[in-house]
Amino acid sequence: MGVISAAAGLLAGCSVLAAVLMARAAFHGRTAGPRLRALTLAGGAGLTALAGTASGVAVLAWPDTRVDGVPLAAEIPLVCVFLVALLYLPALLRPQQRREALARLRVGLDTLGVWASLMYTGWLLLFTVGERRGGSITALIFGGGAVAIAAVTGVHALRHRAALQWCGTAAALSLTGLTALVIAMDHPGQANAAIAGLAAAAAINVAAAGLWYGSVRISPDTRPLPPPGSESTGSFPLLGVLILSSALATVYHLINGGRLDAISIMLGAVAVTAVTVREWVSATVLRRQAGHLTDQGNRLRDLMFGSAEVAMILDANLAVRWQSPAAARQFGLSDQEVLGRTVSVLVDPDQVEMVHAHLNERMEHGRPSTLAVRLRDGFGRWRATEWTTNGADPAEPGRTLVVHIRDVTNTHDLEQTLRRTTHLDPQTGLTNEAGMLRAAELIPDAAAMIVVELGGLTAVGDVHGRDLAEVVLVEAARRLRTRVADADIPARVGETRFAVLTHCGAVRAQLLAGQLVNALSAPYTTAGTVSHLSAWAGLADLAGETGADEVLRRASLALRSVRSGPPGAVEWYEAELEARLLRRSTLEQDLPDAVARGGIDLSYQPIFELPGGRPAGVEAVPAWRHPTLGVVAADELLALAEDLGLLAPIGHVVLRRSSRLLAGWRRRHGDLWLAVGVRPRELVDPAFQASLHTALEEHDLPPAALVLEIAEHHLSDVRDEAHQPPVEDISAALGRLRALGVRTAVDNFGAGPTTLSRLRILPIDLLKIDREVFDPALSFRRPGAVMDVAVTLGRRLGLEVIAQGLEDAADLDAARTAGCHLGQGDLLGRPMPAERLEALLEQLHDADRRDRH
């Protein structure tokens, strides 16, 4: 018998393996829960294993040794019961469980009831018929209390519930095994003591494994916390199981001739009282929960009756089993009309199959969803509604479906209104840009897009007021709308810009664009006032995979290109056009910085006396070397500078630098004069005239040493281009220059439509004949005759004539034959830097001196 008891103790010592694993995981931080809990529980499990091992050794080595009348094999685990409890219970009682007062009372009653039941059963079976031993009684009292606290703590855990349920149950089992080991070792002569010891050792090993799993493997917060008063273990039949076990033990004891002593009766009374009070507390909690649920139900009912949404419960056949009172208020649907009938009677016939399929699918899978449905109300009107499924009816969780119906008719109408407003221009009533792009996506056979821009509308507003300008704009939109086909889409895409998405092909689109430009350029008679607008048009085709927004961009680029020309022009988009505009845009971005940095280069082309070949003057030719686009010639540079308002700084640089060089050249080479090209706007600018005076005075130049050239086409365009000054202002400025002594010249004469009357009234000193006048390749008549007429005309008007653009010997012979005194061109000398010109002048000067000697 002693060998079996010793084996039981040694078997209990095997649980040290689980304790070591727990401690190792805690030290290395590999526990799922708090490390301190795992370490403390490992200490308790290790101490339990040590107690079992020591008890087994004591049975073998000192079987007759007693301590205060208790066998040493029982005394060792008895002491350890206290120590293990001191390790287990603090680990299980953290973290603190927050409960209501009644919940805490219920936990306390459970603990008392479990302890009383364990004490009653143990006392009844051990101490009513046999010897009452102090060690066993002490272990039963203290061990039973520790078991009760550990078990109830694990069962009723709220925070760290998953881990504590494992750890609490395992700790209670470990303490039960250790207590049973004490009692078995304290009764070595009893027949069942060895079996009880083996059972206790097995329980200790199982408990150690449970402690390892609960503290190392289980995450403490894997389950959500239940709301107060609704814990899943609130009604756990823990006491019921123990009371039933105690009753069976009582029946067994009495059948075998046992009796109930006073202590047994007292413990049983305590257990029954704890159960009774606990059930009364549970009933109180249930009544409170029932009252709370009643209040929530009443509140939900009030919300349901006052809700603007309609709720319906459908059965498996999609028949309406219940509808909320809002159905009558919102849709005029009475219960007699709806209940027991399928929802198909309420739905648009075109949607019945779709609605049935959708609802059946939601009934199978239960996922919430929303569906737009047209519903016939109790008055026979169709209403736009949204049906939202919300799972099954909680009261009947079978094949039922709760559907919430919301009336969105007003919202739908508002959305339609907003959609129309979003795609319409409020001022003209035409489609706006967004609407036209949307229409282009829906019209696959559209062929071209026309973009038309109005000019002069701002001036109408400035002169006659904004209201009149708006009236003119609305009239322009009306003209546009009445002149396009019904299938075409007219739109307003800018402040003064319209667009037409047309089905016409290229030729008809070109004709339509011209008609629109003419119609929009016709006079506007409003409120007794006649207003005049200009119009231009750009076109792009919709062929290929190009998107509507890209086509609009291309048509706008074509419009931008033609916008710089005369009113009424129409142009198609081409790839080369975009390249030109891209170049123009790049130059516009970079020119201001180049002017500010002094990046404008100056070249000089000599002008010679044709009879003798002596240099008479030089022309300053500005240019700009762009870092990526290369050299920008003078004509393009000055036109760009005029649009950007940079003529004044560039003209100042040309006059200042050229005048300084001219002063040095005149000291060396006699009466050399300088020609500088100007534009009409620059000519009438007071700042330019001030810069001119400053240049002459600083370098002590006579006014006659300076010749200002104005191109012929600028003189002919002054009446047509709004941004150019009137011809009267040009003539007055030229007159002031002549009075000062500065000479003026008409450049490129013969290439434009300048009239003889204009030459007669303008104070001009020099006439530069363009090469088109005497180039044989450009005239079927004898070129020399035209040149003779031009030279004769110039002489009769008192003008000195210069043959410009001489490129070969034939050009030079024609100029000399006509009697032209001066010549300029690449044949005589290309534009060159100032240093090369100085070298050329020195070379010619030296040659002239040698000829004279």
Side-chain angles (χ1 to χ4, degrees):
M1 190 69 68
V3 175
I4 298 177
S5 298
L10 296 175
L11 178 61
C14 294
S15 63
V16 72
L17 178 61
V20 171
L21 292 177
M22 293 167 61
R24 183 179 179 184
F27 279 121
H28 290 86
R30 293 197 295 267
T31 60
R35 296 174 60 184
L36 182 60
R37 176 189 297 163
L39 192 61
T40 306
L41 294 178
L47 187 58
T48 302
L50 181 62
T53 303
S55 178
V57 172
V59 170
L60 296 176
W62 304 282
D64 298 326
T65 303
R66 291 179 176 271
V67 179
D68 295 333
V70 179
L72 181 61
E75 182 68 20
I76 293 174
L78 176 60
V79 174
C80 288
V81 167
F82 293 90
L83 299 177
V84 171
L86 291 177
L87 290 172
Y88 280 167
L89 296 183
L92 298 175
L93 293 174
R94 302 298 300 175
Q96 183 180 358
Q97 310 293 329
R98 297 182 179 88
R99 296 185 176 91
E100 296 179 344
L102 288 178
R104 290 196 298 270
L105 177 59
R106 186 166 54 188
V107 171
L109 291 171
D110 281 349
T111 304
L112 178 61
V114 170
W115 175 80
S117 298
L118 292 175
M119 281 293 299
Y120 172 80
T121 303
W123 189 275
L124 184 67
L125 297 177
L126 295 174
F127 305 125
T128 57
V129 295
E131 180 184 359
R132 296 180 180 179
R133 299 191 177 188
S136 298
I137 295 174
T138 302
L140 183 61
I141 294 173
F142 190 80
V147 169
I149 295 174
V152 172
T153 299
V155 170
H156 285 282
L158 298 178
R159 303 176 65 194
H160 296 198
R161 185 168 64 178
L164 287 179
Q165 284 179 347
W166 273 89
C167 293
T169 304
L173 182 60
S174 178
L175 288 168
T176 301
L178 189 58
T179 302
L181 185 62
V182 172
I183 295 173
M185 295 301 181
D186 197 24
H187 296 79
Q190 296 291 332
N192 296 327
I195 297 175
L198 290 174
I204 289 173
N205 281 277
V206 172
L211 288 172
W212 170 83
Y213 186 76
S215 61
V216 176
R217 305 294 294 180
I218 297 295
S219 178
D221 290 318
T222 54
R223 303 180 187 177
L225 291 177
S230 61
E231 304 97 288
S232 60
T233 57
S235 59
F236 189 81
L238 182 63
L239 289 179
V241 172
L242 293 174
I243 291 296
L244 179 60
S245 301
S246 299
L248 293 175
T250 303
V251 172
Y252 172 79
H253 181 68
L254 294 176
I255 290 176
N256 288 281
R259 61 183 178 81
L260 298 176
D261 60 1
I263 295 178
S264 298
I265 295 173
M266 182 189 67
L267 292 173
V270 171
V272 171
T273 301
V275 171
T276 303
V277 176
R278 195 261 188 198
E279 291 305 315
W280 176 80
V281 172
S282 297
T284 302
V285 173
L286 289 176
R287 282 195 300 272
R288 288 188 177 182
Q289 289 182 349
H292 179 67
L293 291 176
T294 301
D295 292 340
Q296 286 186 330
N298 293 333
R299 188 177 304 168
L300 180 61
R301 188 176 297 108
D302 293 339
L303 291 174
M304 186 66 71
F305 274 89
S307 175
E309 291 189 2
V310 175
M312 290 185 178
I313 298 178
L314 310 180
D315 61 14
N317 297 318
L318 300 183
V320 181
R321 300 184 59 180
W322 177 85
Q323 67 173 2
S324 63
R329 296 196 309 271
Q330 294 293 319
F331 300 115
L333 298 174
S334 65
D335 291 348
Q336 293 80 6
E337 295 175 326
V338 176
L339 296 185
R341 307 178 68 182
T342 62
V343 292
S344 59
V345 300
L346 305 175
V347 178
D348 186 343
D350 295 337
Q351 292 185 305
V352 169
E353 292 185 4
M354 181 266 294
V355 171
H356 275 217
H358 181 82
L359 295 178
N360 283 322
E361 182 182 0
R362 296 285 77 78
M363 190 172 293
E364 288 289 339
H365 299 91
R367 293 190 301 271
S369 64
T370 302
L371 182 67
V373 179
R374 292 189 69 216
L375 179 142
R376 189 201 307 271
D377 63 14
F379 307 103
R381 295 175 301 186
W382 291 106
R383 310 276 284 273
T385 61
E386 283 186 357
W387 290 27
T388 303
T389 60
N390 200 21
D393 180 14
E396 300 181 56
R399 285 182 58 82
T400 58
L401 187 65
V402 178
V403 179
H404 294 274
I405 303 176
R406 184 164 64 97
D407 185 7
V408 295
T409 304
N410 294 335
T411 304
H412 183 73
D413 294 342
L414 180 60
E415 289 177 353
Q416 293 292 335
T417 302
L418 290 176
R419 190 175 295 110
R420 287 193 298 268
T421 303
T422 303
H423 291 161
L424 287 180
D425 176 59
Q427 191 173 10
T428 62
L430 297 177
T431 303
N432 59 16
E433 181 176 346
M436 186 191 65
L437 295 178
R438 176 62 178 165
E441 297 176 358
L442 303 177
I443 303 177
D445 57 343
M449 185 175 293
I450 306 171
V451 178
V452 182
E453 183 163 359
L454 298 178
L457 190 62
T458 302
V460 173
D462 294 340
V463 175
H464 302 290
R466 182 175 179 179
D467 293 340
L468 184 64
E470 291 183 356
V471 173
V472 172
L473 180 64
V474 172
E475 170 60 19
R478 187 197 64 80
R479 295 182 184 182
L480 184 76
R481 187 186 300 109
T482 57
R483 281 167 174 78
V484 299
D486 294 338
D488 296 342
I489 307 295
R492 184 186 181 193
V493 295
E495 187 68 24
T496 59
R497 186 171 291 188
F498 299 99
V500 176
L501 186 66
T502 179
H503 295 75
C504 299
V507 176
R508 294 182 59 192
Q510 177 87 17
L511 294 175
L512 176 61
Q515 294 171 1
L516 293 177
V517 166
N518 292 334
L520 297 177
S521 301
Y524 295 82
T525 303
T526 53
T529 302
V530 179
S531 303
H532 296 273
L533 301 182
S534 303
W536 299 261
L539 299 93
D541 60 67
L542 279 86
E545 301 296 329
T546 307
D549 52 348
E550 174 64 16
V551 175
L552 177 61
R553 185 189 71 85
R554 292 179 176 182
S556 300
L557 287 177
L559 175 63
R560 180 182 175 185
S561 175
V562 78
R563 184 69 173 79
S564 59
V570 176
E571 185 169 342
W572 280 89
Y573 167 83
E574 295 178 355
E576 295 79 4
L577 169 66
E578 185 165 2
R580 292 198 306 270
L581 292 177
L582 179 60
R583 171 186 172 87
R584 169 83 179 196
S585 178
T586 303
L587 295 177
E588 288 178 352
Q589 294 294 322
D590 297 340
L591 180 59
D593 184 59
V595 173
R597 291 185 293 101
I600 304 302
D601 298 327
L602 286 178
S603 299
Y604 299 91
Q605 187 174 28
I607 301 173
F608 292 92
E609 295 177 354
L610 294 185
R614 190 178 69 87
V618 295
E619 179 180 358
V621 183
W624 171 33
R625 189 176 299 277
H626 191 272
T628 57
L629 299 179
V631 177
V632 181
D635 290 341
E636 184 180 6
L637 172 63
L638 295 178
L640 182 64
E642 184 173 16
D643 292 340
L644 297 179
L646 297 175
L647 276 178
I650 292 179
H652 178 72
V653 170
V654 172
L655 282 176
R656 181 172 53 83
R657 289 167 56 183
S658 299
S659 297
R660 177 175 55 81
L661 293 172
L662 179 64
W665 294 336
R666 286 175 63 88
R667 286 192 295 270
R668 178 73 175 166
H669 304 290
D671 297 335
L672 202 66
W673 46 269
L674 172 70
V676 177
V678 295
R679 297 198 163 220
R681 182 183 294 179
E682 189 178 12
L683 194 63
V684 300
D685 186 5
F688 173 77
Q689 298 181 11
S691 179
L692 179 65
H693 283 279
T694 302
L696 294 175
E697 292 177 358
E698 283 185 354
H699 302 288
D700 195 23
L701 292 173
L706 189 60
V707 177
L708 298 182
E709 298 181 357
I710 184 169
E712 181 189 19
H713 67 274
H714 288 151
L715 291 175
S716 63
D717 290 342
V718 293
R719 291 187 302 180
D720 299 329
E721 294 188 10
H723 65 276
Q724 295 286 12
V727 65
E728 293 80 6
D729 294 347
I730 298 292
S731 179
L734 293 175
R736 288 191 295 271
L737 291 173
R738 172 174 283 185
L740 181 64
V742 176
R743 294 185 294 169
T744 57
V746 174
D747 195 13
N748 300 113
F749 180 77
T754 302
T755 61
L756 295 178
S757 60
R758 177 122 349 137
L759 285 179
R760 182 177 55 83
I761 64 175
L762 290 175
I764 300 297
D765 298 294
L766 289 89
L767 201 63
K768 299 182 72 173
I769 306 297
D770 192 86
R771 186 171 184 273
E772 292 184 6
V773 174
F774 53 83
D775 185 4
L778 300 178
S779 176
F780 63 91
R781 300 183 184 276
R782 188 172 65 87
V786 180
M787 187 66 177
D788 291 343
V789 173
V791 172
T792 302
L793 173 64
R795 288 175 177 174
R796 290 190 177 184
L797 293 176
L799 305 178
E800 193 170 1
V801 179
I802 302 175
Q804 184 181 14
L806 301 177
E807 296 183 0
D808 51 33
D811 296 342
L812 182 60
D813 291 341
R816 285 176 173 172
T817 302
C820 191
H821 180 65
L822 299 173
Q824 177 185 2
D826 293 346
L827 177 66
L828 304 178
R830 294 176 177 274
M832 62 190 71
E835 297 79 6
R836 288 185 55 192
L837 179 62
E838 289 181 1
L840 177 64
L841 294 177
E842 288 293 338
Q843 179 182 353
L844 294 175
H845 180 70
D846 294 342
D848 183 58
R849 290 178 58 183
R850 286 194 300 269
D851 292 343
R852 282 184 292 177
H853 289 297

